[in-house]
Amino acid sequence: DTGVSQNPRHKITKRGQNVTFRCDPISEHNRLYWYRQTLGQGPEFLTYFQNEAQLEKSRLLSDRFSAERPKGSFSTLEIQRTEQGDSAMYLCASTGGTETQYFGPGTRLLVL
Amino acid sequence: GENVEQHPSTLSVQEGDSAVIKCTYSDSASNYFPWYKQELGKRPQLIIDIRSNVGEKKDQRIAVTLNKTAKHFSLHITETQPEDSAVYFCAAGTSGGSYIPTFGRGTSLIVHP
């Protein structure tokens, strides 16, 4: 499968724990985006990378969230001290030269 | 920042009917408008897009129209089929440089056989 992949697909954690998600974009796609999607809503932008540089972060993004793309390939999104309000689907998308976003299957997070 | 409103939130049609979903946007700088289809439990996938220099674009049974003056764009699906049942999202953004799309809240389309 040469599409965008995300791991894990599901994560259940207790409030206060840290979680980390991984996204592997389509090979050679230079832009990588992270979104959060809650029930009944469209994807909400969190942050994006061009190669290894993090170019934009949403003003709504808490400082408990951090993302990296150290070698310009895969990316990780970490949430520290999780809260119940962090429960959502976390989507990753990549683009290569156009605006067309190729989404991964998402990681569904449930914070108890 | 950009604000995208999408209506209706739910649309129920009979197989063979047409379906229309409408979005409005606020930022006149937006010039790229994609539509994504998300089937239950699956990832969003681009189905059609339009740029601000074009008023209409068609691809088989789907079409998108754009009215820049009124800042709205619509998705039209003709001869709907049960497999068209999904959630459809519109988005708006400015292409080039930092492209960050703003998505609508989605429309759940149900096509009854």
Side-chain angles (χ1 to χ4, degrees), chain A residues 39-42, chain B residues 4-6 87-90 103-107:
Chain A
L39 199 62
Q41 302 289 326
Chain B
V4 176
E5 299 282 341
Q6 182 171 348
V87 179
Y88 292 80
F89 294 99
C90 64
F103 286 82
R105 294 179 65 169
T107 296

Side-chain angles (χ1 to χ4, degrees), chain A residues 1 3-5 9 31 33 35 37 40-43 45 48 55-56 59 91 98-101 103-105, chain B residues 1 32 36 38 41-46 49 51 89 94-106:
Chain A
D1 186 359
V4 178
S5 62
R9 296 291 307 278
R31 286 195 178 182
Y33 294 74
Y35 296 92
Q37 186 178 26
Q41 302 289 326
F45 171 76
Y48 96 92
L55 296 188
E56 290 275 348
R59 281 169 283 181
L91 290 166
T98 72
E99 297 87 356
T100 302
Q101 305 226 321
F103 283 88
Chain B
Y32 177 67
Y36 288 84
Q38 187 173 26
K42 297 193 176 179
R43 67 192 76 189
Q45 290 193 300
L46 179 74
D49 56 14
R51 298 183 187 275
F89 294 99
T94 306
S95 65
S98 285
Y99 170 65
I100 300 172
T102 300
F103 286 82
R105 294 179 65 169

Side-chain angles (χ1 to χ4, degrees), chain A residues 5-101:
Chain A
S5 62
Q6 291 185 246
N7 288 287
R9 296 291 307 278
H10 303 273
K11 179 70 177 179
I12 300 174
T13 192
K14 292 183 180 178
R15 190 175 51 186
Q17 297 294 304
N18 299 343
V19 294
T20 300
F21 309 141
R22 176 177 169 130
C23 171
D24 287 87
I26 292 173
S27 179
E28 297 177 1
H29 274 192
N30 58 354
R31 286 195 178 182
L32 186 150
Y33 294 74
W34 284 100
Y35 296 92
R36 177 170 57 197
Q37 186 178 26
T38 53
L39 199 62
Q41 302 289 326
E44 175 191 24
F45 171 76
L46 295 179
T47 188
Y48 96 92
F49 293 83
Q50 176 143 331
N51 300 314
E52 66 275 11
Q54 187 173 18
L55 296 188
E56 290 275 348
K57 284 175 65 171
S58 168
R59 281 169 283 181
L60 302 175
L61 198 63
S62 159
D63 57 9
R64 296 183 296 105
F65 286 68
S66 62
E68 293 184 338
R69 195 183 182 198
K71 296 181 181 178
S73 56
F74 73 91
S75 175
T76 58
L77 177 69
E78 181 183 19
I79 309 173
Q80 296 183 324
R81 305 181 303 281
T82 52
E83 301 172 357
Q84 288 183 323
D86 296 331
S87 296
M89 175 74 85
Y90 290 84
L91 290 166
C92 171
S94 68
T95 70
T98 72
E99 297 87 356
T100 302
Q101 305 226 321

Side-chain angles (χ1 to χ4, degrees), chain B residues 17-70:
Chain B
D17 288 350
S18 294
V20 181
I21 303 169
K22 298 181 180 179
C23 287
T24 60
Y25 61 99
S26 61
D27 189 349
S28 56
S30 289
N31 59 5
Y32 177 67
F33 308 93
W35 285 89
Y36 288 84
K37 176 183 181 182
Q38 187 173 26
E39 296 177 61
L40 192 62
K42 297 193 176 179
R43 67 192 76 189
Q45 290 193 300
L46 179 74
I47 55 171
I48 195 166
D49 56 14
I50 191 167
R51 298 183 187 275
S52 59
N53 59 347
V54 174
E56 183 175 357
K57 184 175 178 181
K58 258 184 125 171
D59 183 2
Q60 299 183 348
R61 295 186 298 108
I62 60 172
V64 57
T65 58
L66 171 65
N67 183 326
K68 283 189 296 181
T69 305

